[in-house]
Amino acid sequence: MNPDSSALSVSDASDAPGASAPAVNTFQVDLRGLVDLLSHHLYSSPRVYVRELLQNAVDALTARLAHDPAAPRRIRLTADGTSVVMEDSGIGLTADEVHTLLATIGRSSKRDGLENARQEFLGQFGIGLLACFVVAKRIRVVSRSARTPDAPPVEWLASDDGSYTVRILPHEARPEPGTTVLLEPRPGAEEWTDPARVALLAADFGSLLPHEVTFTGPDVTDRPLTERPAVWDRVHPTPTARRVALAGHCAKVFGFTPLDSIDLDLPVAGVRGVAHVLPAATSPAQRAAHRVYLKGMLLTDRADNLLPDWAFFVRVVLDTDTLRPTASRENLYDDETLAAVREALGARIRAWLTELAAGAPDRLAAFLTVHHLGVKSMARHDPELFGLMLPWLPFETSDGRVTLDEFARTHSVIHFTRTVEEFRQVAPIAAAHGLGVVNGGYTYDTDLLALLPAVRDGITLSELDAGAVTAQLDPVDPAQELALAGFLATARTRLDALGCDVALRAYHPVTVPALFLDDREARHERDRADAEDGADALWSGILGALRGAAPRARLVLNHHNPLVRRIAGITDAELAGTAVESLYGQALLMAQRPLRPADTALLNRAFLGLLEWATHPLEAPAAPAAPAAPASATPPAPHAHEEGDQ
């Protein structure tokens, strides 16, 4: 091709006398290289050629109707296995326009002012029929202009080697204005021009186009491909019938039956569609795949920048005439307009939740059972929504899985943990002693708990620490604790090097022998001490200067537990210390704390120590065998258990 309109003047910046006049050259385009660029880098699939054919036909018909509202409306797609043909009764082209628009890369009638009503057109980038070379080796266009009725038809014949010819045809070659585009498939691209596939692609891309498109193939003639109006714009006899129709459309498009459907009607933004609520929980990190039409033409079925990140529990299908497409026309251009639409769509989804809370509590409860995580994500940035959702949002608490509203009615002071492991360790003890604890270790829960005092009066929120839990446990009788002073001293000595204190309390459940408690400050202090031990002299001094007065971790022994009482009665100090180390290791494992090297060494030492103690009696020398009894001697009486066996 020789793009006449893309001439580039190259000027010599020097104005020195005697300088020669600059030469004027034109860019040369390697069409094969450009087609390779389109097929491998701009477009995700060769299937987009069907969209380009539909786009050109619809734009041509739109231009014709703007020129003559009474003009016929006809778009027909034909595929027979050997070629693909698109016919339209659109505005058509003259010979000059064919040279200017079809053979010039980057030139678009919609952008360059050939049509005033640019906003009505689908194409804006001037790539045009070039994308059809992704599957075609030759393109033939026969067109007759509706603006110049006396102008004869013109033929444009282009090959994928970059050459084209233009010739004038007799009037009878095309009596009526419009355009016919014929594609001859390239070797290896026959699968994309198969009649069944062409019909499927055309229906997928063009189902919502404003003009009727028909398909003709080996087994069908003029089958309509468009389905106007869109399902969300159709009139239904009842609200239930509309919900059923929307659910059926969702199953067809997305492959699932929605939990509910949300109307997305934003006339100011030029957006109309519906959001379908997923029937099963999904990960917030999973990329959404929304279906977006631009003026009735499918733009993409994988739009991932249409909604706020928190709205991961819906899948959207909508039509818009305001949002800009990317150059490949396979996604939305992320600009200020899309940002405003994204915010408006998010507001519509929040309003839907408010409506459910006010008038359909059963539907809201069913939704939150599946998608409470998404609502929590919204509520942490919206105190009003959080207050509205309080009677419905479930949290894991020491009273079971209940809402914060219900939990706050029985606990004026609410304690919370920052990790799931901390909660699971203290929950049984807290429940037995009336301590209200909420698990803040799940996504968004800690942020929401911080908002609770602002939306509910009389609530005190406190992070759970070792001191708070210990204070709730029953003290041991002073006389009994004094009697065990020696054992407790041994236990504290053994665990002191690990940064852990020992306390004795009586608590339920009895089956828990020991409870390991710490908090963030205690963990930070332990990490600092570990780093100080392994640092050189300089860093050791710096870390030593950072030593704080934070409370230490605490191993709380349960005096109600029979095993603890038996260990406390061991007179061998070494054995008692080993048993305490075993209790410490077991409590660490129950708390699912990450083990430090010192903790791992302690566990190994305690296990081997107990194993050695347990097997020690087996190592005593065996008693000498008794002399064999004379043959005439009376056999000994059987043992009792032997008699029982007999």
Side-chain angles (χ1 to χ4, degrees):
M1 293 185 182
N2 183 12
D4 300 332
S5 65
S6 59
L8 176 69
S9 297
V10 182
S11 302
D12 188 351
S14 173
D15 295 329
S20 60
V24 178
N25 302 283
T26 58
F27 284 109
Q28 301 300 314
V29 177
D30 180 354
L31 184 59
R32 291 190 179 186
L34 188 57
V35 168
D36 180 74
L37 179 67
L38 291 175
S39 60
H40 292 93
H41 300 283
L42 184 62
Y43 296 130
S44 62
S45 167
R47 73 189 193 117
V48 298
Y49 87 93
V50 176
R51 184 193 65 199
E52 296 298 329
L53 289 175
L54 287 170
Q55 172 183 300
N56 287 340
V58 170
D59 285 346
L61 186 53
T62 300
R64 175 83 183 272
L65 294 175
H67 176 74
D68 177 12
R73 307 176 181 218
R74 184 178 65 257
I75 300 176
R76 179 187 293 117
L77 178 63
T78 303
D80 59 9
T82 61
S83 64
V84 176
V85 180
M86 177 66 78
E87 300 176 79
D88 68 70
S89 58
I91 194 67
L93 299 171
T94 64
D96 291 340
E97 291 169 347
V98 164
H99 278 289
T100 303
L101 301 176
L102 297 187
T104 303
I105 298 171
R107 175 64 60 86
S108 169
S109 65
K110 279 76 73 173
R111 189 180 63 218
D112 293 340
L114 190 62
E115 298 297 334
N116 293 326
R118 173 185 169 189
Q119 67 275 10
E120 299 299 328
F121 294 101
L122 299 173
Q124 302 289 336
F125 293 97
I127 297 175
L129 289 175
L130 184 63
C132 294
F133 278 117
V134 172
V135 299
K137 67 178 180 180
R138 187 176 294 109
I139 301 175
R140 181 174 183 259
V141 178
V142 176
S143 188
R144 184 167 186 170
S145 176
R147 284 195 187 82
T148 312
D150 296 335
V154 59
E155 178 196 68
W156 180 79
L157 184 64
S159 299
D160 60 358
D161 61 2
S163 63
Y164 73 93
T165 62
V166 177
R167 66 183 179 126
I168 304 300
L169 301 178
H171 285 274
E172 57 269 19
R174 186 173 183 93
E176 299 295 331
T179 301
T180 300
V181 180
L182 184 146
L183 307 182
E184 296 179 29
R186 65 168 63 239
E190 292 84 358
E191 62 172 309
W192 296 104
T193 58
D194 176 76
R197 190 159 200 173
V198 171
L200 185 64
L201 291 174
D204 195 38
F205 280 117
S207 61
L208 299 184
L209 287 173
H211 308 305
E212 183 176 283
V213 179
T214 61
F215 174 77
T216 297
D219 303 322
V220 64
T221 300
D222 287 341
R223 187 185 77 193
L225 298 177
T226 49
E227 299 178 2
R228 300 284 297 184
V231 63
W232 52 82
D233 286 331
R234 296 174 193 169
V235 177
H236 300 277
T238 64
T240 301
R242 186 173 189 275
R243 283 198 298 271
V244 171
L246 290 176
H249 181 260
C250 176
K252 177 182 176 182
V253 171
F254 293 114
F256 65 84
T257 300
L259 196 64
D260 208 341
S261 298
I262 309 167
D263 282 320
L264 304 176
D265 188 7
L266 305 174
V268 175
V271 171
R272 184 81 175 101
V274 63
H276 298 292
V277 181
L278 290 166
T282 185
S283 169
Q286 182 178 344
R287 302 299 293 177
H290 305 299
R291 191 174 180 89
V292 178
Y293 292 83
L294 180 62
K295 304 182 182 73
M297 178 74 76
L298 177 65
L299 182 69
T300 179
D301 56 6
R302 295 187 297 274
D304 57 7
N305 57 354
L306 185 64
L307 293 181
D309 291 340
W310 53 257
F312 55 83
F313 52 85
V314 298
R315 295 294 178 265
V316 169
V317 54
L318 58 80
D319 190 17
T320 176
D321 56 15
T322 59
L323 300 178
R324 292 172 55 196
T326 58
S328 66
R329 297 182 58 78
E330 293 186 311
N331 211 336
L332 294 170
Y333 187 76
D334 212 334
D335 56 8
E336 293 180 357
T337 302
L338 178 58
V341 168
R342 186 187 300 123
E343 183 177 351
L345 293 177
R348 179 65 195 95
I349 295 174
R350 285 197 300 269
W352 168 77
L353 284 171
T354 303
E355 293 164 7
L356 286 188
D362 293 341
R363 288 168 59 197
L364 178 62
F367 165 76
L368 289 176
T369 299
V370 179
H371 295 297
H372 58 274
L373 192 61
V375 177
K376 286 181 178 181
S377 176
M378 287 188 291
R380 65 197 177 112
H381 300 301
D382 190 340
E384 183 178 352
L385 177 64
F386 178 53
L388 180 69
M389 291 291 108
L390 263 184
W392 311 100
L393 285 177
F395 284 77
E396 187 176 13
T397 75
S398 53
D399 291 351
R401 193 165 182 80
V402 298
T403 67
L404 280 185
D405 207 39
E406 180 181 351
F407 192 71
R409 285 198 290 268
T410 55
H411 300 281
S412 59
V413 178
I414 296 180
H415 299 275
F416 70 94
T417 64
R418 291 187 178 271
T419 67
V420 175
E421 292 77 14
E422 288 176 341
F423 174 80
R424 289 177 178 171
Q425 187 187 18
V426 303
I429 290 91
H433 291 267
L435 189 67
V437 182
V438 177
N439 185 356
Y442 292 119
T443 305
Y444 311 131
D445 282 8
T446 299
D447 295 337
L448 293 178
L449 286 168
L451 292 175
L452 186 58
V455 298
R456 285 292 185 272
D457 295 333
I459 296 296
T460 301
L461 191 67
S462 173
E463 182 175 356
L464 192 67
D465 57 25
V469 176
T470 306
Q472 293 292 325
L473 305 180
D474 296 334
V476 178
D477 181 82
Q480 292 179 328
E481 187 168 5
L482 182 61
L484 299 176
F487 163 72
L488 293 176
T490 299
R492 289 172 181 138
T493 301
R494 283 297 186 100
L495 300 184
D496 182 69
L498 298 171
C500 182
D501 289 333
V502 176
L504 184 66
R505 293 291 186 274
Y507 54 88
H508 295 278
V510 175
T511 53
V512 178
L515 184 65
F516 180 80
L517 298 173
D518 65 353
D519 49 33
R520 284 190 300 167
E521 293 183 356
R523 289 193 290 273
H524 291 165
E525 177 61 22
R526 294 171 75 188
D527 292 341
R528 186 208 59 77
D530 290 342
E532 182 181 357
D533 291 340
D536 56 25
L538 174 61
W539 280 108
S540 180
I542 295 174
L543 292 170
L546 297 177
R547 183 181 295 112
R552 308 173 81 196
R554 188 172 302 178
L555 182 69
V556 184
L557 302 177
N558 187 0
H559 191 253
H560 283 328
N561 183 268
L563 176 62
V564 171
R565 290 203 297 270
R566 286 199 296 271
I567 292 174
I570 296 176
T571 57
D572 186 334
E574 183 64 26
L575 178 59
T578 301
V580 169
E581 290 178 340
S582 299
L583 290 176
Y584 171 84
Q586 187 263 354
L588 271 183
L589 295 176
M590 291 298 295
Q592 299 184 27
R593 292 284 194 277
L595 298 180
R596 302 171 298 165
D599 297 329
T600 303
L602 175 141
L603 281 172
N604 291 333
R605 184 173 66 251
F607 173 75
L608 293 176
L610 291 179
L611 188 61
E612 182 180 357
W613 175 81
T615 58
H616 181 73
L618 299 180
E619 298 175 357
S632 60
T634 303
H639 294 294
H641 67 85
E642 293 175 340
E643 294 176 352
D645 292 339
Q646 293 174 346

